[in-house]
Amino acid sequence: MRPSAPPPDQSLGALGWLRANLFSSVGNTLLTFVGVALFLIVVPPVVEWAVLEATVAGTTKQACDGGGACWVFIKVHLPQFIYGFYPEAERWRVNLAFAILVGLVALLFIRPMPKKGWIAAFTAVVFPFIAYLLFFGGIFGLPVVPTSEWGGLFLTLIIAGVAIAASLPLGILLALGRRSEMPVVQAVCTVFIEFWRGVPLITVLFMASVMLPLFLPGGVTFDKLLRAMVGWALFAGAYTAEVVRGGLAGVPPGQYEAAKALGLGYWRRMRLIILPQALRIAIPGIVNSFLAIFKDTTLVLIIGLFDLLGIIQAIATDPEWLGYAVEGYVFAAAVFWAFCYAMSKYSMRVERQLNRHKQGV
Amino acid sequence: MPNAGKTPLKPEKTPLWRDPRTRALVFQVLVLAGVVALVGMIVHNTLSNMREQGIASGFGFLDDTAGFGIAFSLIDYNADSTYARAFLVGLLNTLFVSGVGILLATLLGFIVGIARLSPNWLIRRWAAVFIETFRNIPLLLQIFFWYFAVLRALPAPRESLAMLDLVYLNNRGLQVPKPVLEPGFGWVIALLLAGIAGAWAIAHWARKRRERTGQGFASWPAAAALVIIPPVMAFYAAGNPLDWNVPSLGTFSFSGGMNLIPEFVALLLALAIYTAAFIAEIVRGGVESVPRGQVEAAQSLGLSQRQVMRKVILPQALRVIIPPLTNQYLNLTKNSSLAAAIAYPELVSVFAGTVLNQTGQAVEVIAVTMGVYLTISLSIALVMNWYDRRKALKGA
């Protein structure tokens, strides 16, 4: 019996992989060295600072005597980072509302769940009121917590949630309006969209906080947070509208004609035939626009609301804890990064699922 | 068929309220009335509110003395200057940081985007880490990080980080040499512009000739000579009309040179890196959008590697890259307004911040600020529409 021939070395296995991916040519080998050098410059100091020499134990600034990061700063202030100035005794209300939301969303994720439409409608229409009553109080004997005491990650999620929830329907309506055959409707929607897209968000927030009170009849005032949210929703709606419009333009003309030929009216054509296809095409863009909205919630700190970054900034300038801003920023960056990364990965999965019908064609 | 031969079959008359044209007309009149009513209400409320609160209106305030200093200005400005001058300073600062930011972001973005496509696994991973990190962290947080965590922690001027004794980085900002132009320099610029125009004309002529006769013409050497030689000759003929005012360290601070304040450096770094992450993804998408068959077809035509890149991949990739790229440039310009959070004196911070607080004329100030950004956005949009039409695939 002849022994089997050895496998062709150097083209398979780990060595072969190295050869193909890192050392395939002189230039490539040089690049590999650059990459390794970059790794050696960046990674060890970061690990040393964030892990090896960091302080985790203790509850005071004095505990931080190592050369590395002072995670005590984060540990001590974590409740404030999450709830802002929300009274400690009332924080269960925030937790309860988020628990309900998580429960509802979890139900939506169960694939064979019956009556999914009703659950989704409940989440979108009824839940916001429940959440508002819980957060604000003043009913069922819950003490009132004014919006000026809302803050931290809690506020970030509220603003992002409201802006995202409001921007999708608004964006769809504006996009349909801009593609409408009625010249007046088209002109109004186009001007509206281009106006909001042409100005920076910060001027919109300034406008909401300084000019909105002037626009309203004398004596009518409303909350700073609500004003910011109105500006936010309009701004986000205009951006989402352009993404949806792209989706609408991507639906083949034959679909519009076929829907018309079936004798369906405008709204049924849109709801049953056009929008499901347009939104599928627009998913990556819609998620990008949601991510931008989420990241831009940090801008509300400029008009004096304390979102996650705002509260970190405020605490980092507290004389008692001076000099730990970096830890705060790293924490905030990690939180934002995790949310954004998870959202973009999830959207990729959804996109693949929705495009499954195209495979094998 | 009882109707046959009698009267022709007439369609049933649609009732007025079911006629789509009537409906569209009524709907549009309603929309228009709603918009007019809303705008009218806002104007009415604003006017009456302003009258009640005694807020002045009109743009007369622009000629008043501003009375505040601005930390960084490209033109002469002091506390005795007018509000109009302060506005101009803010506008120029916005354009300055946006312009430099766009240059840096494009450079970095293209490098990272191409690295993302590198055959080298390690470089590809590094580029992906760069993109995923900086794209998913809010810009404002990045500005704060550079400003409060990095630049504040830099050494004092005496222990500056120096590069070739020309550029110094310390907690007062970045000290760079400042160009001082002398009279003859105008000629150099003029000849340079003329050279560029000439080079463009040569390239245009060469392309037309090739399309007409099939004869190639290597326009590069002639064009390069036209751009480089006359300005260089003029430069020496005018006796080196450009001086560099180099920063030098005094007892406590730097004198000479140009001081780019820390707010500027922080904003610039954050804007450039954040935008570069997006540009890198655009570049990658653009290059990947060129079908493989195109490359293979070009190779089988016998084109060299360089020709494949220049004549097949780049023209098609750029068609995909340029529209979102301009969009990123616009975003960067609009995002420069985040400087208000660290008080770099650009348009929003100077005008919608300090001037608004001093004059209280919110309506005029916000309107002017928004007007500036709208003008920039819309003019870029017009240019892009023109570009799209020019580059649209013909006969598709």
Side-chain angles (χ1 to χ4, degrees), chain A residues 21 28 32 35 39 182-184 197-198 200 202 210-211 214-217 239 295 298 309 313 329 333 337 340, chain B residues 28 42 45-46 49 119-123 126 132 135-136 138 140-141 148-149 274 334 337 348 362 366 373-374 377:
Chain A
N21 286 294
N28 210 346
T32 303
F39 187 85
M182 295 182 259
V184 173
R197 275 164 42 89
I202 196 172
V210 187
M211 273 163 83
L214 287 178
F215 289 167
L216 296 168
Y239 273 84
K295 281 184 292 177
T298 48
L309 184 58
Q313 185 70 2
Y329 296 148
W337 188 86
C340 293
Chain B
Q28 292 187 72
I42 287 177
N45 284 338
T46 309
N49 279 331
N120 187 304
W121 179 84
L122 203 56
I123 295 293
W126 266 121
E132 291 298 341
R135 208 164 62 135
N136 286 329
L140 190 59
L141 179 52
F148 290 108
Y274 183 74
K334 282 185 280 176
S337 60
V348 169
I366 299 271
Y373 286 101
L374 272 178
S377 299

Side-chain angles (χ1 to χ4, degrees), chain A residues 295-296 298-299 309, chain B residues 134-146 266-267 269-275 331-332 334-338:
Chain A
K295 281 184 292 177
D296 281 347
T298 48
L299 264 68
L309 184 58
Chain B
F134 290 107
R135 208 164 62 135
N136 286 329
I137 296 177
L139 177 59
L140 190 59
L141 179 52
Q142 296 191 33
I143 294 178
F144 279 174
F145 176 79
W146 290 113
L267 183 66
L269 278 174
L271 282 176
I273 293 176
Y274 183 74
T275 314
N331 280 348
L332 189 148
K334 282 185 280 176
N335 280 337
S336 71
S337 60
L338 262 63

